[in-house]
Amino acid sequence: MASVTEHVLEEDSMEQDVESPVTIQQPKLPKQAREDLPKHISKVCTKRKIQRYVRKDGKCNVHHGNVRETYRYLSDIFTTLVDLKWRFNLLIFVMVYTVTWLFFGMIWWLIAYIRGDMEHIGDNTWTPCVSNLNGFVSAFLFSIETETTIGYGYRVITDKCPEGIILLLVQSVLGSIVNAFMVGCMFVKISQPKKRAETLVFSTNAVISMRDGKLCLMFRVGDLRNSHIVEASIRAKLIKSKQTKEGEFIPLNQTDINVGYYTGDDRLFLVSPLIISHEINQQSPFWEISKDQLPKEELEIVVILEGMVEATGMTCQARSSYITSEILWGHRFTPVLTLEDGFYEVDYNSFHETYETNTPSYSAKELAEMASRAELPLTWSVSSKLNQHADLETEERGKNHEDQTERNGDVANLENESKV
């Protein structure tokens, strides 16, 4: 019985081994050991994941570390404050006003204390520096009234205190500077056109297909607002590491992708969604990339849309990116623009949708070579036909000339015979 049970358990374990996939975890090797592995083994064991340079929402995935010259941030304190997050910006805004009020309130209290105003509280014969100032709290309230120009009228400075008059002038001037600086920071931060870029959308995927007989890389952009982007322009960059002929390794090398710079197609009238096209020719970085080779490439396409906000006149920039898994070969974008009764309607539900189309899987270079091979025999046949046609015309002209000569000779003989 025990042997039968062991036999059944062995069969079950064999079935489990056959049915369940076995996952073998690769040992973690040090960096030097990984570099010493053969290339074909290292590619199988370590499957690298493409790290984005620019995320889909347009934020750059780059962190600055070991910045030692931090004083440079303080040299441009205005931009530093504007770039801070809202919670830190509001905290600094409150702290600056509170510190200035406390600082000048302390000075007002010290002036009153040094002059002896605190010892003559309620004495009508004594002329204090500030009327009705009887402690630090009242000095703090007077500082707030002075800097914010509230002026309730209960606490006022007298003309018998020259140091108080000087302090009043200094606090008024510094208070105006603080107001201009902090209110300016808040205004610039509120009016930043970053949120305007939220309504500028890019298609989730880029596509590669034939357009006008040429292989093209395409993506779609659109504007969700009715207020337009003025002087809109589009640019595209290829982010891909490369190695020079001298052996220098350049990480994240940036290469321009022509999206109509020389023809003016990069300047957009972005009223409805537009499909941006890049012709894959000899100057294109995708010239030698085929459908089978595309998933093996480690590259990223960064697209940048720039323009001025029509309402504010400020420059706005929207960014997005596409990695190899987001580039669909043999697809086209679904049309989103339809003609209604008296207007055009854009269906943004189909903005990101694509459909398959017949597209050769060869690279643009291979297609050009195939086209040139197909044209050569045709060129030879046409030239040979033209040469044959020219030879026939020459022979016909020669025959016509001989016939004309024979006819002229016959006519001359008849004339001679008639004369005889």
Side-chain angles (χ1 to χ4, degrees), residues 143-275:
S143 175
I144 296 175
E145 294 176 14
T146 302
E147 189 166 337
T148 58
T149 64
I150 295 176
Y152 289 114
Y154 183 71
R155 299 177 184 87
V156 293
I157 189 172
T158 61
D159 57 354
K160 302 298 182 180
C161 184
E163 61 271 18
I165 296 174
I166 296 175
L167 180 60
L168 178 64
L169 295 175
V170 172
Q171 187 175 3
S172 299
V173 173
L174 291 180
S176 300
I177 295 175
V178 171
N179 288 333
F181 188 81
M182 298 308 301
V183 173
C185 287
M186 296 297 292
F187 176 77
V188 171
K189 191 168 184 63
I190 292 173
S191 60
Q192 274 185 326
K194 290 182 179 180
K195 296 301 180 182
R196 180 62 178 90
E198 298 292 334
T199 54
L200 297 174
V201 293
F202 296 87
S203 58
T204 305
N205 298 304
V207 299
I208 294 179
S209 61
M210 302 296 293
R211 174 177 276 193
D212 294 332
K214 298 176 182 178
L215 199 63
C216 296
L217 169 71
M218 293 169 284
F219 58 92
R220 183 149 61 184
V221 297
D223 188 3
L224 301 180
R225 287 189 179 273
N226 292 326
S227 59
H228 308 309
I229 296 294
V230 183
E231 296 292 334
S233 61
I234 191 75
R235 293 185 291 126
K237 292 278 188 180
L238 176 67
I239 309 298
K240 183 181 179 181
S241 302
K242 63 173 290 187
Q243 189 171 8
T244 62
K245 297 179 180 179
E246 295 77 14
E248 179 188 3
F249 179 74
I250 304 176
L252 301 177
N253 182 58
Q254 299 184 12
T255 306
D256 281 332
I257 299 177
N258 186 14
V259 288
Y261 177 78
Y262 298 104
T263 59
D265 293 336
D266 61 330
R267 295 185 288 273
L268 310 179
F269 182 52
L270 197 58
V271 178
S272 60
L274 300 176
I275 298 177

